[in-house]
Amino acid sequence: MNKTGAARAILTVALAALPAFDSGAGAAPPRDDAVPRFDLPRSGLELARHTESGKFFDVVGRRAAIFGYENRALEAWAYPLKLIDDFKLSFQLQGYPLEIDGAQIATGIAVRPEATTFTYSHAGFTVRQTIFAPLDEPGVVMLLDVDSVLPLTVIGSFRPRLKLMWPAGLMTNNVGWDEKDQVYSLTEETKRFAAVIGSPGARDLSLMPYQEEPRDVPLRFVVELPPETLRLHFLPIVIAGSVEGRDKAKETYDRLLARARPLYESNVAYYRALQERTLSVESPDERLDTALAWAKVGVDKGLATNPMLGT
C-alpha cells in the first residue's frame, strides 16, 4: 500500500470513531440534470505542474472568461459584465467538524487550450476541478470529479458583482435564491443585465432576511451528494450572464448544464483543428515547436465577442 492509501485507511478508521454526522440532513435530493461522468478528451497541448501561489491563470472563451491566481479566489466574466469575484471552494468530510479550505490543498494545475484542471488533494479525498469556457457561450462550467473515502460536502462561496467593464458606471445589485432550480439570480435596477449561478443539489447558506442591514459578505452554498452519486456523476457548477435579462441568463445556464459534455468536446475539437489547419514547425528544439503551438492558441484566445460592441 502506498503512503496516500495508508493515510486514507488511517483517516477512515479515525473518522469512523467520531460521533455520527448526517451529511444528508437538509441536503437536496440528487437531480436528474446532474452531469454523468465522461472521459475528458484532450486536444494535444498541456502544461502541468504543482501550483505556485499567486501565479496568474485564465480560462477564456469568445464570450466569457475566468481570471484568477493559483491558491487564491477567482472571478467570472460574461462580456461585457463582471459577474462574480472571490469565488472559492472548501470541503467537509462526514464526521470531521472543520471546513478544509481548497486553496490550502490545491496541489496541481494542468492547463490545456480547452480547459484548466486544478487538483485538490487531502488524505481523505481528491477533487479535480475542470474549468472550461465553451467557445461561443456567455458562461463557464466547472466539473468537479470527486473521489472520497467518506461522504463529502462541497462548499462554494463568492461575492456577486454584476457590473459593466470600466469605464461604465456602477449598478445596484439584487440577489435572489431559487430553491426549485437551486440557482442564484443576480439582477440590477433596469433588469437588463443578469447572471445565474448554481449547481444541481445545491443549498443556500447565506441570504439574510430583507430587514437586515446589507453587508459585504460572500454568498455560500453547499452541495451534499451521496458517494454513489459522485462515483457516477460530475458535480457541476455553472455561471452564466446576459445583457437581455434574467430569463436569457437562465436559458444559457440550462443549456450549459444540459450540454456540458458536447460543449467540452467541441472545445477539444476546435483547438485540435486549430493546430492542424495552421502553421506548425518541426525543429531540433522541441521547446520552440511547443512555444509556437501555444502562441497560436494565445492569439486565438485574444478574440473576444461583446454583444454590445461586436467581435
Side-chain angles (χ1 to χ4, degrees), residues 31-187:
R31 293 263 302 254
D32 292 337
D33 51 4
V35 178
R37 279 180 184 252
F38 61 92
D39 291 334
L40 298 174
R42 301 183 180 188
S43 60
L45 292 174
E46 181 176 70
L47 298 173
R49 57 167 170 76
H50 292 294
T51 55
E52 297 180 16
S53 184
K55 286 290 185 72
F56 177 79
F57 77 92
D58 60 25
V59 180
V60 180
R62 294 279 189 269
R63 302 179 63 187
I66 291 284
F67 302 112
Y69 296 91
E70 296 172 31
N71 301 99
R72 298 183 189 174
L74 58 81
E75 62 187 44
W77 290 72
Y79 307 134
L81 295 167
K82 182 178 184 179
L83 307 180
I84 65 171
D85 64 17
D86 200 26
F87 180 91
K88 301 175 183 177
L89 290 177
S90 56
F91 310 95
Q92 189 168 17
L93 278 166
Q94 176 180 332
Y96 190 70
L98 300 178
E99 282 188 25
I100 301 163
D101 183 8
Q104 300 300 316
I105 60 169
T107 57
I109 179 173
V111 178
R112 302 181 297 279
E114 64 274 9
T116 292
T117 298
F118 286 95
T119 299
Y120 303 92
S121 184
H122 182 270
F125 63 86
T126 300
V127 176
R128 295 175 181 84
Q129 176 195 25
T130 296
I131 309 171
F132 70 98
L135 193 65
D136 197 32
E137 292 280 3
V140 295
V141 180
M142 303 180 189
L143 298 177
L144 274 59
D145 181 357
V146 179
D147 178 14
S148 178
V149 298
L150 291 171
L152 183 72
T153 298
V154 177
I155 302 118
S157 67
F158 64 91
R159 296 177 190 271
R161 287 297 178 248
L162 196 65
K163 60 182 181 181
L164 289 163
M165 293 178 175
W166 183 89
L170 298 176
M171 300 181 292
T172 302
N173 293 333
N174 302 308
V175 180
W177 170 253
D178 186 324
E179 188 68 35
K180 178 183 176 183
D181 289 330
Q182 297 162 344
V183 298
Y184 294 97
S185 295
L186 312 183
T187 57

Side-chain angles (χ1 to χ4, degrees), residues 58-67 77-81 113-114 132-140 165 241 256 263 266-267 269-275 277-278 295-311:
D58 60 25
V59 180
V60 180
R62 294 279 189 269
R63 302 179 63 187
I66 291 284
F67 302 112
W77 290 72
Y79 307 134
L81 295 167
E114 64 274 9
F132 70 98
L135 193 65
D136 197 32
E137 292 280 3
V140 295
M165 293 178 175
L256 296 183
L263 288 170
S266 178
N267 270 19
Y270 176 84
Y271 286 107
R272 186 177 291 154
L274 178 69
Q275 296 300 329
R277 62 182 168 80
T278 55
K296 293 189 294 182
V297 172
V299 171
D300 184 83
K301 285 183 176 288
L303 188 64
T305 297
N306 182 329
M308 301 173 71
L309 298 174
T311 300

